């Protein structure tokens, strides 16, 4: 079975994607990394993410917009 994991860490550099092959092994699984890539955030999105962090004042509206925009970055 193959699985694709996506995440973005505290570096705010982009979306990290790891494709792994999983095989049952006893009561667990063995896995092998097939491919890994970081897809950078667009500059404007990264700046907005940085500006949402303390000590800057944020807002619920800005956070909601960022949530949707980061979701779109993951979808791409």
């Amino acid at each position: 079975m193959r699985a694709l994991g996506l995440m973005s860490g505290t570096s705010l550099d982009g979306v990290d994607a790891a494709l792994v092959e999983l095989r049952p092994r006893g009561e667990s699984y063995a896995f092998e990394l097939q491919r890994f890539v970081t897809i950078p955030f667009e500059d404007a999105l990264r700046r907005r993410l940085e500006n949402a962090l303390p000590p800057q004042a944020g807002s619920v509206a800005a956070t909601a917009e960022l949530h949707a925009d980061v979701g779109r970055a993951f979808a791409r």
Side-chain angles (χ1 to χ4, degrees):
M1 166 176 56
R2 285 191 174 164
L4 178 66
L6 300 173
M7 69 162 282
S8 178
T10 57
S11 65
L12 303 177
D13 58 347
V15 177
D16 298 323
L19 178 65
V20 296
E21 181 76 31
L22 299 165
R23 289 178 299 286
R25 186 161 88 186
E27 293 185 24
S28 186
Y29 289 89
F31 67 93
E32 180 180 341
L33 179 64
Q34 300 291 307
R35 185 148 188 237
F36 177 85
V37 65
T38 298
I39 298 105
F41 286 132
E42 294 177 359
D43 290 340
L45 178 56
R46 183 177 176 153
R47 280 192 302 276
R48 288 175 49 223
L49 287 166
E50 290 169 345
N51 289 334
L53 296 173
Q56 291 86 345
S59 72
V60 173
T63 300
E65 280 186 36
L66 277 172
H67 181 78
D69 291 342
V70 168
R72 282 189 273 280
F74 271 70
R76 280 192 296 275

